[in-house]
Amino acid sequence: MLKNEVAVATHRLTKRYGSIDALADLDLEIAAGEIFGYLGPNGAGKTTTIRLLLGLARPTEGSATVFGMDCWSDAVEVHRRVSYVPGDVNLWPSLTGFETLSLLGNVQGRVDVDYRDDLIARFGLDVSKKVRAYSKGNRQKVVLIAALMSRPDLLVLDEPTAGLDPLMEQEFRRCVHEAKARGQTIFLSSHILSEVEALCDRVAILRDGRLVEVGTLSEMRHLSSVTVEVTVAGDVPDLSQVEGVTAVQVAGQRIHCQVQGSIDPLLRALSAVPVTSLLSREPSLEELFLALYGEDRGERRAS
Amino acid sequence: MTASAEVSAVPPFQLERSPGSLIFRVSAGKAVRSGLAWGAVYGIMVASAALSYVSIYPHQAQRDQLELLFGSNHAASALFGPGNQLQTVAGFTVYKVSMTLMILGAIWGILLSTRLLRGEEDAGRMELLVAGQTTRPRATAQVLVALGLAVSALWAVTALVTVVTGRSSSVVFRVGPSLFFAVALSASALMFLAVGAVTSQMAATRRQASTYGAIVLGVSYAIRMLADSGAGLDWLRWLSPLGWVEILQPFTDPQPLALLCIAGFTIGLSILAVHLTGLRDLGSSTFRDRSHARAKLGLLRRPLGLSARLLRPSIIGWIVAVVLSALLVGFVAKAAGQVIRGSSVEQILARLGATSSGANSYLGMAFLILAVLVAFVAANQVTAVRGEESGGRLDALIARPVSRVSWLGGRTALGASVVAAAGLLAGLFAWLGVLSQSGGVSLGPLMKAGVNIVPPGLCVLGLGIAVFGLFPRLTTKAVYGYVAWSLLIEIVGGIGAVNHVILDTSVFHHMAPAPAVSPNWTAGMVMAAIGCAGAGAGLFAFRSRDLKSE
Ligand SMILES: Nc1ncnc2c1ncn2[C@@H]1O[C@H](COP(=O)(O)OP(=O)(O)OP(=O)(O)O)[C@@H](O)[C@H]1O
Ligand SMILES: [Mg+2]
């Protein structure tokens, strides 16, 4: 794999179902080796995007490429370098787990057999069982192992940990780190924000088929406010007029406020008073996510 | 003021009146609507048969002629059921509609009961309804009551139309016998609703449940076919549910005693269905297969091997059905042929170029049934293709380096091979059947007759693939609908006059009745070419569309 290669690129990618814009004008670029988080509420268009990337659905407009190859017209070539974990797991009920894995490995055309057996052991999957008899979580393990065992250049994961217990989720995170260490690219759609926060280099947030935000977590944090708690000795200064500072609450010597953008103006305003402690906390992805959707909900209600 | 009074009158929660009967109400709505619609179809068939008879054959002499031609024709009665008193409106009406409606009713019964009992469950809706409301055997019993209502609706509409038609001065059906006639027409639907209820409990999926039901129907048809073929096996009729319906003989010579068999069969199966429900888990079959198995990887190297493995049980089932039917046909050919000798059927076939013996004439008619079976084999292959897509399992293959064209092309080729094998085996086993009775028909013509029934199957397969490519969600309905339509046209067209444009739409109409006449290879090639064109169109369309689940 080339350094600085582009793993995934979409250009005005659009999918319409009747009059619904499931995905509208998506422009994304994901570099090889990146772990890219893809977030959005239910019905935002995450699965739609993934189906377009895999050539399971045809774009209404625009295009998508994976490693420079068109996702629709060069689908078979693309698929040699990609593995996919679907959001809805549908397998052949009469095959056993092992039969399923060996079928999917044969069809994929490349399998790291040692790694596969290692994964089976790590996920604790009983592969002699028929798929019909698996629980939801165990079915999820089958598709996860099937995707990881071929060590593809790009892993496309649609809510891969749905149904996994916390221990298995930890195991999954280890697998993702291993994949990254080997230079594989990962496209991860998820509802579990802590997972995305822990794993992803960059994150895109989608709503109603449109891209709302994309960037690294720290870039995104700049967009949101930081929570600051200051304790001063002496007079409490009036901070409500300071640039970027909102929601000022004073309790005795303690001041609690939100800072939007640069924290510099606040520090300058505080320079006149003796500060005994200053705590600032960046928002979690969850807070970011809720803030974004909180706003959107409000807007929608207003319109 | 009024507004607030109204608001406070509404209870805080809209409580379900009686949650225990929810399943009954949901099922009854669907079932009764379907029963009423099919009652209308039954009524139209009865009325049109009676009214066209009086308009086409106004004179007694013509009617007597009809009785002479078909009344004691064993080849025709093997296919369409026995004809009694064809010189009367009532006798002819019974003859013309009974077999068609018996088969349609049975198919309706199987599809409706497997849909309500198994389809809902496969879709996971049953779980929602059953949860906390009632026990599963009770839920099944509720659905069965709803199905009973559906048959009552079917009967009521049929009876009403028959009685009204009977008031026409040229027809004249009395009310009592008309009601009994409607009972006879509804009986096969009733019994096969119960059959579907039992297979719904035994099978692991709705598709499998319908297939089991279809096998019961096929066996019932074959048994009564033997009984009606004039080989002195009339008693066999008592062993077939369709035979019991024939024994009823409404209008001409009513035998209500057979109603006991029909009622006993239905009640017995209903009780069995409720009992079996209690023995199995939701979403599984009664005969639970082992949850662990040793891996057999032989066929799992490529997608086509997977298809072969998945389809193996159903392919074997269909091939066995074809082989047994062919054997049976060959077995009775000699006896049935002796009866036909010199009859109108032989004369008609002679005009088509037949030069051969009675047994050959009989086989010419009987291979039509085998052709229908082979067409169903083809239809089944197409629905299996769609099943992989609608169940979402195809995604796992197409998201890997498997081209759509090679996948669908492989499935189509597999289907075509199965159809061809079915045709050839039909020829071979019909010959074995004939041989066992020293029937005097040699292997060559029967193998040709076997090849002759392949093109209609290929045509159905190719057209089915075209629908799959273009309108995937219609696949199953379209392909089974087309085979059923073709069969219907052929049965109706075999008895009375049907517009030739309509006749031409039947895939079976273009097939020469080999071995009674030599096969029309040109027509065969055309049908095969239509199939190829359809498959090509399907492949082309499939290449450029989204994969669509349910
Ligand atoms: N085959 C289809 N036909 C019609 N509409 C569709 C189809 N598939 C998706 N949609 C619509 O497109 C929109 C996006 O759906 P999508 O499945 O991509 O959402 P998602 O982000 O994956 O949601 P979730 O988090 O619930 O999985 C939804 O409004 C959905 O109703
Ligand atoms: Mg989704």
Side-chain angles (χ1 to χ4, degrees):
Chain A
M1 209 186 316
L2 297 168
K3 262 275 176 257
N4 302 327
E5 195 182 7
V6 176
V8 177
T10 68
H11 178 66
R12 299 184 64 88
L13 188 63
T14 302
K15 182 70 186 178
R16 247 172 253 128
Y17 289 109
S19 59
I20 310 170
D21 280 357
L23 188 67
D25 287 333
L26 179 74
D27 284 302
L28 270 187
E29 203 172 284
I30 302 171
E34 222 180 338
I35 304 186
F36 190 82
Y38 205 51
L39 301 175
N42 294 131
K46 303 181 295 296
T47 300
T48 303
T49 310
I50 288 175
R51 293 183 71 79
L52 291 168
L53 289 181
L54 286 155
L56 297 176
R58 183 176 197 166
T60 314
E61 271 161 44
S63 63
T65 59
V66 167
F67 299 116
M69 297 174 285
D70 189 83
C71 292
W72 177 257
S73 53
D74 302 330
V76 173
E77 285 309 310
V78 167
H79 295 163
R80 290 191 209 289
R81 301 183 62 181
V82 177
S83 280
Y84 162 53
V85 170
D88 263 340
V89 177
N90 292 300
L91 296 168
W92 299 272
S94 57
L95 301 192
T96 66
F98 190 75
E99 287 171 334
T100 307
L101 288 175
S102 83
L103 168 78
L104 294 178
N106 287 336
V107 172
Q108 184 68 49
R110 68 178 201 196
V111 185
D112 181 337
V113 174
D114 294 337
Y115 188 46
R116 177 194 70 193
D117 296 342
D118 179 40
L119 287 170
I120 292 173
R122 281 161 65 184
F123 281 104
L125 183 69
D126 174 0
V127 289
S128 67
K129 228 178 185 178
K130 287 192 179 176
V131 167
R132 171 181 299 133
Y134 277 139
S135 66
K136 179 175 162 49
N138 281 328
R139 255 173 249 180
Q140 192 72 34
K141 289 180 197 171
V142 175
V143 287
L144 262 178
I145 295 172
L148 292 165
M149 71 186 184
S150 69
R151 297 204 185 273
D153 297 334
L154 172 66
L155 270 161
V156 179
L157 313 175
D158 194 356
E159 299 182 37
T161 51
L164 293 190
D165 64 41
L167 278 178
M168 291 302 133
E169 203 186 316
Q170 285 305 318
E171 200 55 62
F172 164 74
R173 290 187 191 188
R174 268 193 285 277
C175 292
V176 170
H177 284 303
E178 287 165 15
K180 180 171 168 76
R182 294 174 145 265
Q184 292 168 261
T185 313
I186 293 152
F187 185 98
L188 171 68
S189 145
S190 176
H191 284 298
I192 301 173
L193 297 168
S194 56
E195 180 177 282
V196 173
E197 199 163 18
L199 292 174
C200 295
D201 303 318
R202 280 202 308 151
V203 173
I205 297 182
L206 203 65
R207 183 180 66 87
D208 288 341
R210 283 165 204 284
L211 199 59
V212 183
E213 283 299 342
V214 58
T216 62
L217 276 174
S218 52
E219 278 166 7
M220 281 203 190
R221 285 187 174 121
H222 282 302
L223 298 169
S224 181
S225 41
V226 175
T227 305
V228 179
E229 238 181 70
V230 194
T231 313
V232 293
D235 288 347
V236 175
D238 179 16
L239 297 177
S240 57
Q241 301 306 314
V242 180
E243 190 193 332
V245 175
T246 51
V248 182
Q249 288 171 334
V250 181
Q253 299 299 105
R254 261 217 331 260
I255 314 166
H256 192 275
C257 65
Q258 304 281 328
V259 182
Q260 185 88 45
S262 167
I263 199 166
D264 215 42
L266 174 66
L267 291 180
R268 245 177 283 135
L270 287 173
S271 60
V273 285
V275 173
T276 48
S277 86
L278 188 145
L279 262 169
S280 91
R281 190 167 53 77
E282 293 196 316
S284 68
L285 182 57
E286 188 153 350
E287 281 166 320
L288 272 173
F289 194 81
L290 291 176
L292 274 170
Y293 291 114
E295 270 169 35
D296 292 334
R297 293 246 166 77
E299 265 169 33
R300 214 183 294 170
R301 216 175 294 133
S303 66
Chain B
M1 265 295 123
T2 11
S4 73
E6 267 169 25
V7 168
S8 62
V10 176
F13 298 105
Q14 198 71 52
L15 284 172
E16 195 57 70
R17 268 166 303 157
S18 45
S21 65
L22 181 65
I23 290 174
F24 168 72
R25 276 177 288 129
V26 171
S27 316
K30 291 179 188 164
V32 169
R33 247 174 287 140
S34 177
L36 291 173
W38 278 96
V41 172
Y42 276 44
I44 291 168
M45 294 274 297
V46 169
S48 84
L51 297 173
S52 66
Y53 179 81
V54 296
S55 74
I56 298 174
Y57 309 109
H59 306 297
Q60 194 54 48
Q62 295 169 312
R63 296 180 180 186
D64 290 341
Q65 178 73 10
L66 200 66
E67 164 66 16
L68 268 176
L69 283 180
F70 286 100
S72 53
N73 181 329
H74 289 282
S77 67
L79 292 179
F80 313 129
N84 291 317
Q85 301 180 21
L86 300 185
Q87 73 278 24
T88 65
V89 188
F92 177 81
T93 305
V94 172
Y95 177 56
K96 178 144 183 185
V97 303
S98 288
M99 182 55 68
T100 311
L101 293 185
M102 208 147 83
I103 293 171
L104 275 184
I107 293 174
W108 172 72
I110 293 168
L111 291 182
L112 183 67
S113 69
T114 54
R115 173 156 74 99
L116 293 183
L117 283 163
R118 197 68 212 208
E120 297 292 308
E121 183 175 325
D122 291 353
R125 285 188 287 269
M126 201 66 151
E127 221 158 326
L128 289 178
L129 291 180
V130 173
Q133 309 275 16
T134 181
T135 65
R136 293 211 1 269
R138 271 198 211 136
T140 300
Q142 287 183 27
V143 176
L144 287 173
V145 174
L147 294 173
L149 279 185
V151 184
S152 310
L154 174 82
W155 172 82
V157 177
T158 311
L160 182 71
V161 178
T162 309
V163 168
V164 170
T165 309
R167 307 210 22 111
S168 152
S169 60
S170 54
V171 175
V172 196
F173 296 155
R174 278 176 302 118
V175 173
S178 293
L179 298 184
F180 183 67
F181 177 45
V183 168
L185 288 182
S186 319
S188 115
L190 177 71
M191 287 186 286
F192 280 89
L193 280 168
V195 168
V198 171
T199 62
S200 292
Q201 307 308 320
M202 298 196 320
T205 61
R206 182 190 173 199
R207 223 172 86 88
Q208 212 173 33
S210 313
T211 307
Y212 290 167
I215 290 171
V216 175
L217 174 60
V219 171
S220 308
Y221 183 88
I223 292 176
R224 63 133 289 278
M225 184 172 161
L226 267 183
D228 290 335
S229 62
L233 299 168
D234 291 30
W235 55 270
L236 271 179
R237 222 168 270 141
W238 287 99
L239 298 184
S240 161
L242 297 185
W244 300 331
V245 180
E246 287 184 355
I247 293 168
L248 291 175
Q249 300 189 58
F251 287 130
T252 54
D253 182 16
Q255 305 286 334
L257 202 63
L259 282 178
L260 285 181
C261 294
I262 292 170
F265 183 77
T266 307
I267 294 169
L269 288 186
S270 304
I271 293 171
L272 180 64
V274 173
H275 178 69
L276 288 177
T277 315
L279 295 184
R280 70 182 181 95
D281 294 338
L282 205 59
S284 68
S285 57
T286 313
F287 309 120
R288 191 112 70 95
D289 48 9
R290 289 168 305 134
S291 64
H292 289 258
R294 221 160 35 81
K296 296 188 207 73
L297 303 177
L299 285 169
L300 300 180
R301 283 188 220 299
R302 45 183 78 233
L304 193 59
L306 170 71
S307 306
R309 166 152 172 188
L310 296 174
L311 291 174
R312 198 166 44 193
S314 93
I315 291 176
I316 291 175
W318 281 105
I319 294 283
V320 166
V322 169
V323 159
L324 288 181
S325 309
L327 204 57
L328 196 71
V329 160
F331 194 70
V332 301
K334 190 178 177 189
Q338 275 156 6
V339 182
I340 300 186
R341 203 175 288 271
S343 76
S344 62
V345 173
E346 193 150 57
Q347 288 159 20
I348 293 168
L349 289 168
R351 248 176 282 140
L352 288 170
T355 51
S356 43
S357 70
N360 263 326
S361 301
Y362 168 77
L363 286 167
M365 306 277 297
F367 263 72
L368 173 64
I369 297 297
L370 298 176
V372 172
L373 260 178
V374 170
F376 271 109
V377 172
N380 187 257
Q381 292 291 312
V382 176
T383 56
V385 168
R386 170 62 188 152
E388 284 296 283
E389 185 190 18
S390 65
R393 296 178 295 274
L394 183 54
D395 288 4
L397 297 177
I398 298 294
R400 293 190 160 77
V402 172
S403 87
R404 292 174 181 227
V405 171
S406 74
W407 180 78
L408 184 56
R411 288 294 290 240
T412 311
L414 178 68
S417 320
V418 174
V419 166
L424 291 174
L425 288 172
L428 178 66
F429 278 82
W431 175 70
L432 289 175
V434 172
L435 194 66
S436 72
Q437 302 296 302
S438 330
V441 183
S442 53
L443 179 61
L446 282 171
M447 287 312 285
K448 280 188 195 156
V451 174
N452 187 46
I453 61 176
V454 172
L458 294 179
C459 188
V460 167
L461 179 72
L463 293 177
I465 296 295
V467 178
F468 169 75
L470 291 161
F471 312 104
R473 293 198 170 106
L474 295 180
T475 309
T476 304
K477 279 190 183 124
V479 70
Y480 279 125
Y482 180 59
V483 176
W485 165 260
S486 295
L487 175 61
L488 188 70
I489 296 293
E490 213 45 26
I491 290 176
V492 176
I495 300 171
V498 174
N499 183 308
H500 74 92
V501 178
I502 296 181
L503 272 178
D504 280 344
T505 63
S506 163
V507 71
F508 305 118
H509 185 63
H510 304 283
M511 191 187 75
V517 304
S518 51
N520 180 348
W521 297 126
T522 318
M525 299 285 252
V526 170
M527 280 190 272
I530 292 176
C532 285
L539 277 164
F540 188 76
F542 181 60
R543 237 175 37 148
S544 51
R545 70 166 171 83
D546 295 354
L547 291 193
K548 290 180 181 149
S549 53
E550 213 70 77

